[in-house]
Amino acid sequence: MTETTIAILSLARQFRYLDALRQFKISLLTIHFSHLLPTLPLLVKSSSALFLHRTTYQLHSLSVKTNSISHIHVLTSLISAYSRLRYPNLASRLFLPILPVVCYNALISGFTLNSMSDQSFSVFRLLLRNSLSFSATTLLSLLPSLLSLQFHARPVHAIVLKSGLSNDPSVGNAFLSMYARSGEVSEARKLFDEMVERNNGDLITWNAMISGYAQNSMADQVIRLYRMMIKRDDVLPDSVTFVGVLSSCASLGATDVGREVDRRIKASENRSPLSGNTFVGNALINMHARCGDLKRAREVFDSMTERTVVTWTAVISGYGMHGDGEAAASLFQAMLNSGIRPDGVAMLSVLSACSHAGMTDVGMRYFSGMTETFGVSPSVEHYACMVDLLGRAGLLKGALELIQSMPMKPDGAVWGSLLGACKIHRDVRMGEAAFSHVVELEPENVGYYVLLSNIYTDVGEMEGVAKIRRMMKEKGLKKDAGCSYIEHKQKIHLFLADDQRHPLKKDIYQTVRRLEAMVEVRGGGVGGEVRGVHSEKLAIGFGLLSTEVGMRIVVMKNLRVCNDCHEFIKLVSEIIGREVVVRDASRFHHFRDGFCSCKDFW
DNA sequence: GTCCGTCTTG
């Protein structure tokens, strides 16, 4: 091998693909091609990694002309290259069944990469039929396809166990995530425990399990596993871990854990540049915003050096859910100015911000310009959001007309938005119409029954309430239990309505009663004995007992706050002179000095 | 030569 050959190979191995290609081109002028032949596979890899179509073709035809294509390594690299360039059919034309397993692997991976799961599986069957034995690489390339073909992980896993390949951690990890992705979380956990036990697991094993839980909405398990992880000294969390943990903190509203992660990320600055990681930054923004700390979310946003559309979306929806539509809209504008095009999710975040802030005209303008100005065609979700926006503003007829004009079939969320608007504006007849659609599309969704029932209650049509109750009974549906919780010293204190289980129960009820008495003096309603004590009141009572004077109290709630409690908390915020923040199912309410940031509009 | 196992936004 010449010095030049070695130089080219080493450049490519250091991922300096462009340098490798340039070096090759220059060398061709002085050195005979035959000396450079050993560099062909890595050159092909370099050109395809850089998505240089023409260069890849040229290398291909050079291989043909010089008869190098008969070299298996060259052929393998070309199969892989065409797959990467999204020409799986060209790749498969180069393939022959007599080739060695690596070529099968390249093709299997090529089809997987191009979402051609059937073809990927066929090549694997061909491999078995030709009595070739597969490798770990084969499995890693094949499993994603099997998953999308809805194969069960277990039988495949059983076969692989016999092959001995499952001792390879990456194969174990692949199966672990296959179990998790197909919803078999406990199987995934079993495999995880075995791997950790056999000392066969690594950082990726932990990450796969953490994100497996996250994908299955098991946020509490994510936090538990993370706590286990940081106690160990054989594994250190990285950016992927933090992203998974942070998204769970966000959905739970686990502020303390989230802040601990934030500190850890900041502290890690010297070891590895975690704070410069865009994924981590995005996750942090989302976590802080959804835990109620918009200020810190903004600080993270401001500190970021690279901002993707996801970054902007996270901060825009942050302001949106806290009711600051102006800020959301101006950030959206800033995003456009910075040259980033919105995608469907970004549009949704700004539309929803407008909706929550009552910025009807602005929202309508964004919506009508979606296709032309922003290049995003409205999906059913955007329509649902617009129905919400029009409906909240009291334009119920306009909302209905929008639904009737939709180019696609309205789904449950669309009719549900209309139903929600009918609740705000107490429109029984249109509410019934919306309900009749939604009950057909999502007969199991309890929330909609409750909404209509509440409309009946609000206007005093008690026979309607009874009718809904009968319907629910017939279908065996039960109201979701409302619960509220508050985090204190890394522990979640959760309350149901009339909850009697908390150790501080006596003090909590006493506090709530005292607040109710003070509210009544000011002419406020307290819901009272008939309805019992809603969970948010208990959480606020606990918050008052457990936090320092003057600190704000942050409560998370699974359902929407009811009217009575909303009025109650407004007055409480005035009485105690503290800010009370409630995150309910749809947004944040900041109660201060007798007012709520939602302007009674939620 | 083949490789992919983990990652954020509504």
PDB file of all heavy atoms in Angstrom, chain A residues 359-389:
ATOM      1  N   MET A 359     -56.797  35.597  21.485  1.00  0.00           N
ATOM      2  CA  MET A 359     -56.357  36.404  20.340  1.00  0.00           C
ATOM      3  C   MET A 359     -56.952  35.823  19.060  1.00  0.00           C
ATOM      4  O   MET A 359     -56.253  35.259  18.195  1.00  0.00           O
ATOM      5  CB  MET A 359     -54.820  36.415  20.277  1.00  0.00           C
ATOM      6  CG  MET A 359     -54.213  37.232  21.407  1.00  0.00           C
ATOM      7  SD  MET A 359     -52.477  36.886  21.709  1.00  0.00           S
ATOM      8  CE  MET A 359     -51.752  37.167  20.115  1.00  0.00           C
ATOM      9  N   THR A 360     -58.251  36.006  18.924  1.00  0.00           N
ATOM     10  CA  THR A 360     -58.991  35.345  17.861  1.00  0.00           C
ATOM     11  C   THR A 360     -58.540  35.781  16.466  1.00  0.00           C
ATOM     12  O   THR A 360     -58.276  34.942  15.606  1.00  0.00           O
ATOM     13  CB  THR A 360     -60.497  35.634  18.028  1.00  0.00           C
ATOM     14  OG1 THR A 360     -60.816  35.471  19.408  1.00  0.00           O
ATOM     15  CG2 THR A 360     -61.325  34.684  17.201  1.00  0.00           C
ATOM     16  N   ASP A 361     -58.444  37.094  16.268  1.00  0.00           N
ATOM     17  CA  ASP A 361     -58.096  37.584  14.929  1.00  0.00           C
ATOM     18  C   ASP A 361     -56.705  37.142  14.504  1.00  0.00           C
ATOM     19  O   ASP A 361     -56.495  36.706  13.373  1.00  0.00           O
ATOM     20  CB  ASP A 361     -58.159  39.119  14.894  1.00  0.00           C
ATOM     21  CG  ASP A 361     -59.593  39.597  15.074  1.00  0.00           C
ATOM     22  OD1 ASP A 361     -60.508  38.770  14.856  1.00  0.00           O
ATOM     23  OD2 ASP A 361     -59.773  40.763  15.436  1.00  0.00           O
ATOM     24  N   VAL A 362     -55.765  37.274  15.421  1.00  0.00           N
ATOM     25  CA  VAL A 362     -54.388  36.876  15.102  1.00  0.00           C
ATOM     26  C   VAL A 362     -54.349  35.400  14.730  1.00  0.00           C
ATOM     27  O   VAL A 362     -53.747  35.006  13.717  1.00  0.00           O
ATOM     28  CB  VAL A 362     -53.463  37.132  16.310  1.00  0.00           C
ATOM     29  CG1 VAL A 362     -52.034  36.748  15.968  1.00  0.00           C
ATOM     30  CG2 VAL A 362     -53.525  38.583  16.735  1.00  0.00           C
ATOM     31  N   GLY A 363     -55.018  34.587  15.526  1.00  0.00           N
ATOM     32  CA  GLY A 363     -55.042  33.147  15.257  1.00  0.00           C
ATOM     33  C   GLY A 363     -55.651  32.843  13.904  1.00  0.00           C
ATOM     34  O   GLY A 363     -55.144  32.011  13.154  1.00  0.00           O
ATOM     35  N   MET A 364     -56.748  33.550  13.578  1.00  0.00           N
ATOM     36  CA  MET A 364     -57.399  33.305  12.294  1.00  0.00           C
ATOM     37  C   MET A 364     -56.491  33.686  11.139  1.00  0.00           C
ATOM     38  O   MET A 364     -56.460  33.019  10.106  1.00  0.00           O
ATOM     39  CB  MET A 364     -58.723  34.074  12.217  1.00  0.00           C
ATOM     40  CG  MET A 364     -59.842  33.355  12.958  1.00  0.00           C
ATOM     41  SD  MET A 364     -61.297  34.371  13.223  1.00  0.00           S
ATOM     42  CE  MET A 364     -61.902  34.543  11.568  1.00  0.00           C
ATOM     43  N   ARG A 365     -55.713  34.749  11.363  1.00  0.00           N
ATOM     44  CA  ARG A 365     -54.796  35.160  10.300  1.00  0.00           C
ATOM     45  C   ARG A 365     -53.709  34.107  10.078  1.00  0.00           C
ATOM     46  O   ARG A 365     -53.398  33.753   8.943  1.00  0.00           O
ATOM     47  CB  ARG A 365     -54.164  36.523  10.645  1.00  0.00           C
ATOM     48  CG  ARG A 365     -54.288  37.511   9.503  1.00  0.00           C
ATOM     49  CD  ARG A 365     -53.733  38.877   9.853  1.00  0.00           C
ATOM     50  NE  ARG A 365     -54.374  39.442  11.040  1.00  0.00           N
ATOM     51  CZ  ARG A 365     -53.705  40.021  12.037  1.00  0.00           C
ATOM     52  NH1 ARG A 365     -52.384  40.092  11.998  1.00  0.00           N
ATOM     53  NH2 ARG A 365     -54.353  40.522  13.062  1.00  0.00           N
ATOM     54  N   TYR A 366     -53.162  33.605  11.177  1.00  0.00           N
ATOM     55  CA  TYR A 366     -52.161  32.534  11.039  1.00  0.00           C
ATOM     56  C   TYR A 366     -52.745  31.334  10.304  1.00  0.00           C
ATOM     57  O   TYR A 366     -52.138  30.763   9.414  1.00  0.00           O
ATOM     58  CB  TYR A 366     -51.667  32.066  12.416  1.00  0.00           C
ATOM     59  CG  TYR A 366     -50.674  32.985  13.069  1.00  0.00           C
ATOM     60  CD1 TYR A 366     -50.819  33.340  14.404  1.00  0.00           C
ATOM     61  CD2 TYR A 366     -49.579  33.480  12.374  1.00  0.00           C
ATOM     62  CE1 TYR A 366     -49.905  34.170  15.031  1.00  0.00           C
ATOM     63  CE2 TYR A 366     -48.667  34.311  12.985  1.00  0.00           C
ATOM     64  CZ  TYR A 366     -48.828  34.659  14.313  1.00  0.00           C
ATOM     65  OH  TYR A 366     -47.924  35.478  14.912  1.00  0.00           O
ATOM     66  N   PHE A 367     -53.961  30.989  10.707  1.00  0.00           N
ATOM     67  CA  PHE A 367     -54.578  29.791  10.129  1.00  0.00           C
ATOM     68  C   PHE A 367     -54.819  29.964   8.636  1.00  0.00           C
ATOM     69  O   PHE A 367     -54.514  29.073   7.838  1.00  0.00           O
ATOM     70  CB  PHE A 367     -55.890  29.477  10.847  1.00  0.00           C
ATOM     71  CG  PHE A 367     -56.567  28.232  10.337  1.00  0.00           C
ATOM     72  CD1 PHE A 367     -56.042  26.974  10.594  1.00  0.00           C
ATOM     73  CD2 PHE A 367     -57.739  28.319   9.585  1.00  0.00           C
ATOM     74  CE1 PHE A 367     -56.664  25.822  10.124  1.00  0.00           C
ATOM     75  CE2 PHE A 367     -58.374  27.172   9.112  1.00  0.00           C
ATOM     76  CZ  PHE A 367     -57.832  25.926   9.385  1.00  0.00           C
ATOM     77  N   SER A 368     -55.345  31.132   8.266  1.00  0.00           N
ATOM     78  CA  SER A 368     -55.677  31.293   6.847  1.00  0.00           C
ATOM     79  C   SER A 368     -54.420  31.401   5.984  1.00  0.00           C
ATOM     80  O   SER A 368     -54.471  31.137   4.785  1.00  0.00           O
ATOM     81  CB  SER A 368     -56.600  32.500   6.642  1.00  0.00           C
ATOM     82  OG  SER A 368     -55.943  33.656   7.088  1.00  0.00           O
ATOM     83  N   GLY A 369     -53.301  31.770   6.605  1.00  0.00           N
ATOM     84  CA  GLY A 369     -52.070  31.851   5.824  1.00  0.00           C
ATOM     85  C   GLY A 369     -51.232  30.585   5.862  1.00  0.00           C
ATOM     86  O   GLY A 369     -50.112  30.560   5.336  1.00  0.00           O
ATOM     87  N   MET A 370     -51.774  29.552   6.504  1.00  0.00           N
ATOM     88  CA  MET A 370     -50.941  28.371   6.737  1.00  0.00           C
ATOM     89  C   MET A 370     -50.309  27.798   5.473  1.00  0.00           C
ATOM     90  O   MET A 370     -49.102  27.623   5.392  1.00  0.00           O
ATOM     91  CB  MET A 370     -51.752  27.273   7.447  1.00  0.00           C
ATOM     92  CG  MET A 370     -51.542  27.276   8.943  1.00  0.00           C
ATOM     93  SD  MET A 370     -52.393  25.928   9.755  1.00  0.00           S
ATOM     94  CE  MET A 370     -51.363  24.550   9.304  1.00  0.00           C
ATOM     95  N   THR A 371     -51.146  27.505   4.479  1.00  0.00           N
ATOM     96  CA  THR A 371     -50.642  26.854   3.283  1.00  0.00           C
ATOM     97  C   THR A 371     -49.772  27.805   2.468  1.00  0.00           C
ATOM     98  O   THR A 371     -48.627  27.489   2.135  1.00  0.00           O
ATOM     99  CB  THR A 371     -51.816  26.358   2.411  1.00  0.00           C
ATOM    100  OG1 THR A 371     -52.747  25.696   3.268  1.00  0.00           O
ATOM    101  CG2 THR A 371     -51.337  25.400   1.345  1.00  0.00           C
ATOM    102  N   GLU A 372     -50.341  29.009   2.205  1.00  0.00           N
ATOM    103  CA  GLU A 372     -49.658  29.958   1.329  1.00  0.00           C
ATOM    104  C   GLU A 372     -48.391  30.516   1.957  1.00  0.00           C
ATOM    105  O   GLU A 372     -47.316  30.449   1.391  1.00  0.00           O
ATOM    106  CB  GLU A 372     -50.610  31.129   1.008  1.00  0.00           C
ATOM    107  CG  GLU A 372     -51.769  30.754   0.122  1.00  0.00           C
ATOM    108  CD  GLU A 372     -51.347  30.664  -1.336  1.00  0.00           C
ATOM    109  OE1 GLU A 372     -50.767  31.650  -1.832  1.00  0.00           O
ATOM    110  OE2 GLU A 372     -51.586  29.610  -1.963  1.00  0.00           O
ATOM    111  N   THR A 373     -48.552  31.084   3.141  1.00  0.00           N
ATOM    112  CA  THR A 373     -47.440  31.808   3.751  1.00  0.00           C
ATOM    113  C   THR A 373     -46.442  30.879   4.428  1.00  0.00           C
ATOM    114  O   THR A 373     -45.238  31.075   4.349  1.00  0.00           O
ATOM    115  CB  THR A 373     -47.978  32.801   4.800  1.00  0.00           C
ATOM    116  OG1 THR A 373     -49.100  33.487   4.229  1.00  0.00           O
ATOM    117  CG2 THR A 373     -46.910  33.801   5.204  1.00  0.00           C
ATOM    118  N   PHE A 374     -46.962  29.863   5.143  1.00  0.00           N
ATOM    119  CA  PHE A 374     -46.065  29.053   5.973  1.00  0.00           C
ATOM    120  C   PHE A 374     -45.749  27.687   5.376  1.00  0.00           C
ATOM    121  O   PHE A 374     -44.896  26.973   5.884  1.00  0.00           O
ATOM    122  CB  PHE A 374     -46.672  28.888   7.371  1.00  0.00           C
ATOM    123  CG  PHE A 374     -46.975  30.198   8.041  1.00  0.00           C
ATOM    124  CD1 PHE A 374     -48.274  30.562   8.351  1.00  0.00           C
ATOM    125  CD2 PHE A 374     -45.947  31.082   8.344  1.00  0.00           C
ATOM    126  CE1 PHE A 374     -48.544  31.769   8.953  1.00  0.00           C
ATOM    127  CE2 PHE A 374     -46.209  32.295   8.949  1.00  0.00           C
ATOM    128  CZ  PHE A 374     -47.518  32.648   9.255  1.00  0.00           C
ATOM    129  N   GLY A 375     -46.463  27.326   4.307  1.00  0.00           N
ATOM    130  CA  GLY A 375     -46.148  26.071   3.645  1.00  0.00           C
ATOM    131  C   GLY A 375     -46.485  24.826   4.451  1.00  0.00           C
ATOM    132  O   GLY A 375     -45.852  23.799   4.309  1.00  0.00           O
ATOM    133  N   VAL A 376     -47.478  24.942   5.316  1.00  0.00           N
ATOM    134  CA  VAL A 376     -47.906  23.785   6.092  1.00  0.00           C
ATOM    135  C   VAL A 376     -49.380  23.560   5.810  1.00  0.00           C
ATOM    136  O   VAL A 376     -50.186  24.478   5.992  1.00  0.00           O
ATOM    137  CB  VAL A 376     -47.733  24.027   7.609  1.00  0.00           C
ATOM    138  CG1 VAL A 376     -48.162  22.809   8.402  1.00  0.00           C
ATOM    139  CG2 VAL A 376     -46.303  24.405   7.941  1.00  0.00           C
ATOM    140  N   SER A 377     -49.753  22.374   5.334  1.00  0.00           N
ATOM    141  CA  SER A 377     -51.175  22.199   5.080  1.00  0.00           C
ATOM    142  C   SER A 377     -51.865  21.758   6.370  1.00  0.00           C
ATOM    143  O   SER A 377     -51.361  20.914   7.105  1.00  0.00           O
ATOM    144  CB  SER A 377     -51.414  21.203   3.950  1.00  0.00           C
ATOM    145  OG  SER A 377     -50.798  19.982   4.241  1.00  0.00           O
ATOM    146  N   PRO A 378     -53.006  22.392   6.665  1.00  0.00           N
ATOM    147  CA  PRO A 378     -53.680  22.159   7.944  1.00  0.00           C
ATOM    148  C   PRO A 378     -54.112  20.702   8.092  1.00  0.00           C
ATOM    149  O   PRO A 378     -54.674  20.122   7.172  1.00  0.00           O
ATOM    150  CB  PRO A 378     -54.909  23.077   7.879  1.00  0.00           C
ATOM    151  CG  PRO A 378     -54.718  23.968   6.722  1.00  0.00           C
ATOM    152  CD  PRO A 378     -53.752  23.312   5.795  1.00  0.00           C
ATOM    153  N   SER A 379     -53.830  20.143   9.242  1.00  0.00           N
ATOM    154  CA  SER A 379     -54.254  18.779   9.529  1.00  0.00           C
ATOM    155  C   SER A 379     -55.501  18.851  10.421  1.00  0.00           C
ATOM    156  O   SER A 379     -55.942  19.929  10.828  1.00  0.00           O
ATOM    157  CB  SER A 379     -53.154  18.025  10.255  1.00  0.00           C
ATOM    158  OG  SER A 379     -53.045  18.515  11.573  1.00  0.00           O
ATOM    159  N   VAL A 380     -56.030  17.694  10.721  1.00  0.00           N
ATOM    160  CA  VAL A 380     -57.232  17.648  11.550  1.00  0.00           C
ATOM    161  C   VAL A 380     -56.974  18.289  12.915  1.00  0.00           C
ATOM    162  O   VAL A 380     -57.855  18.914  13.509  1.00  0.00           O
ATOM    163  CB  VAL A 380     -57.741  16.190  11.656  1.00  0.00           C
ATOM    164  CG1 VAL A 380     -56.803  15.334  12.470  1.00  0.00           C
ATOM    165  CG2 VAL A 380     -59.149  16.116  12.226  1.00  0.00           C
ATOM    166  N   GLU A 381     -55.733  18.200  13.395  1.00  0.00           N
ATOM    167  CA  GLU A 381     -55.395  18.824  14.686  1.00  0.00           C
ATOM    168  C   GLU A 381     -55.493  20.347  14.615  1.00  0.00           C
ATOM    169  O   GLU A 381     -55.926  20.998  15.569  1.00  0.00           O
ATOM    170  CB  GLU A 381     -53.977  18.450  15.126  1.00  0.00           C
ATOM    171  CG  GLU A 381     -53.852  17.090  15.754  1.00  0.00           C
ATOM    172  CD  GLU A 381     -53.108  16.136  14.854  1.00  0.00           C
ATOM    173  OE1 GLU A 381     -53.174  16.327  13.610  1.00  0.00           O
ATOM    174  OE2 GLU A 381     -52.475  15.204  15.386  1.00  0.00           O
ATOM    175  N   HIS A 382     -55.065  20.900  13.480  1.00  0.00           N
ATOM    176  CA  HIS A 382     -55.158  22.353  13.340  1.00  0.00           C
ATOM    177  C   HIS A 382     -56.618  22.795  13.328  1.00  0.00           C
ATOM    178  O   HIS A 382     -56.958  23.830  13.894  1.00  0.00           O
ATOM    179  CB  HIS A 382     -54.452  22.805  12.063  1.00  0.00           C
ATOM    180  CG  HIS A 382     -52.972  22.535  12.075  1.00  0.00           C
ATOM    181  ND1 HIS A 382     -52.411  21.507  11.367  1.00  0.00           N
ATOM    182  CD2 HIS A 382     -51.965  23.132  12.746  1.00  0.00           C
ATOM    183  CE1 HIS A 382     -51.094  21.493  11.588  1.00  0.00           C
ATOM    184  NE2 HIS A 382     -50.808  22.466  12.420  1.00  0.00           N
ATOM    185  N   TYR A 383     -57.449  22.001  12.673  1.00  0.00           N
ATOM    186  CA  TYR A 383     -58.866  22.339  12.661  1.00  0.00           C
ATOM    187  C   TYR A 383     -59.447  22.284  14.076  1.00  0.00           C
ATOM    188  O   TYR A 383     -60.198  23.164  14.478  1.00  0.00           O
ATOM    189  CB  TYR A 383     -59.634  21.409  11.714  1.00  0.00           C
ATOM    190  CG  TYR A 383     -59.529  21.847  10.272  1.00  0.00           C
ATOM    191  CD1 TYR A 383     -58.605  21.275   9.415  1.00  0.00           C
ATOM    192  CD2 TYR A 383     -60.344  22.869   9.780  1.00  0.00           C
ATOM    193  CE1 TYR A 383     -58.488  21.693   8.101  1.00  0.00           C
ATOM    194  CE2 TYR A 383     -60.246  23.293   8.466  1.00  0.00           C
ATOM    195  CZ  TYR A 383     -59.318  22.700   7.622  1.00  0.00           C
ATOM    196  OH  TYR A 383     -59.204  23.132   6.328  1.00  0.00           O
ATOM    197  N   ALA A 384     -59.052  21.235  14.828  1.00  0.00           N
ATOM    198  CA  ALA A 384     -59.551  21.123  16.198  1.00  0.00           C
ATOM    199  C   ALA A 384     -59.166  22.360  16.995  1.00  0.00           C
ATOM    200  O   ALA A 384     -59.959  22.915  17.766  1.00  0.00           O
ATOM    201  CB  ALA A 384     -58.995  19.867  16.861  1.00  0.00           C
ATOM    202  N   CYS A 385     -57.941  22.813  16.768  1.00  0.00           N
ATOM    203  CA  CYS A 385     -57.452  23.982  17.483  1.00  0.00           C
ATOM    204  C   CYS A 385     -58.228  25.232  17.091  1.00  0.00           C
ATOM    205  O   CYS A 385     -58.561  26.069  17.934  1.00  0.00           O
ATOM    206  CB  CYS A 385     -55.967  24.146  17.183  1.00  0.00           C
ATOM    207  SG  CYS A 385     -55.120  25.272  18.262  1.00  0.00           S
ATOM    208  N   MET A 386     -58.556  25.345  15.799  1.00  0.00           N
ATOM    209  CA  MET A 386     -59.307  26.513  15.334  1.00  0.00           C
ATOM    210  C   MET A 386     -60.749  26.496  15.823  1.00  0.00           C
ATOM    211  O   MET A 386     -61.332  27.548  16.107  1.00  0.00           O
ATOM    212  CB  MET A 386     -59.281  26.575  13.802  1.00  0.00           C
ATOM    213  CG  MET A 386     -57.966  27.020  13.231  1.00  0.00           C
ATOM    214  SD  MET A 386     -57.358  28.555  13.969  1.00  0.00           S
ATOM    215  CE  MET A 386     -58.501  29.744  13.285  1.00  0.00           C
ATOM    216  N   VAL A 387     -61.322  25.310  15.894  1.00  0.00           N
ATOM    217  CA  VAL A 387     -62.677  25.206  16.430  1.00  0.00           C
ATOM    218  C   VAL A 387     -62.668  25.679  17.879  1.00  0.00           C
ATOM    219  O   VAL A 387     -63.543  26.428  18.331  1.00  0.00           O
ATOM    220  CB  VAL A 387     -63.193  23.749  16.339  1.00  0.00           C
ATOM    221  CG1 VAL A 387     -64.486  23.575  17.117  1.00  0.00           C
ATOM    222  CG2 VAL A 387     -63.392  23.355  14.892  1.00  0.00           C
ATOM    223  N   ASP A 388     -61.629  25.296  18.582  1.00  0.00           N
ATOM    224  CA  ASP A 388     -61.440  25.723  19.955  1.00  0.00           C
ATOM    225  C   ASP A 388     -61.325  27.249  20.038  1.00  0.00           C
ATOM    226  O   ASP A 388     -61.975  27.905  20.846  1.00  0.00           O
ATOM    227  CB  ASP A 388     -60.169  25.055  20.482  1.00  0.00           C
ATOM    228  CG  ASP A 388     -59.973  25.255  21.960  1.00  0.00           C
ATOM    229  OD1 ASP A 388     -60.687  24.592  22.727  1.00  0.00           O
ATOM    230  OD2 ASP A 388     -59.115  26.068  22.345  1.00  0.00           O
ATOM    231  N   LEU A 389     -60.503  27.796  19.150  1.00  0.00           N
ATOM    232  CA  LEU A 389     -60.261  29.240  19.150  1.00  0.00           C
ATOM    233  C   LEU A 389     -61.543  30.021  18.870  1.00  0.00           C
ATOM    234  O   LEU A 389     -61.893  30.968  19.579  1.00  0.00           O
ATOM    235  CB  LEU A 389     -59.183  29.566  18.118  1.00  0.00           C
ATOM    236  CG  LEU A 389     -58.776  31.019  17.911  1.00  0.00           C
ATOM    237  CD1 LEU A 389     -57.274  31.130  17.767  1.00  0.00           C
ATOM    238  CD2 LEU A 389     -59.442  31.603  16.667  1.00  0.00           C
TER     239      LEU A 389
END
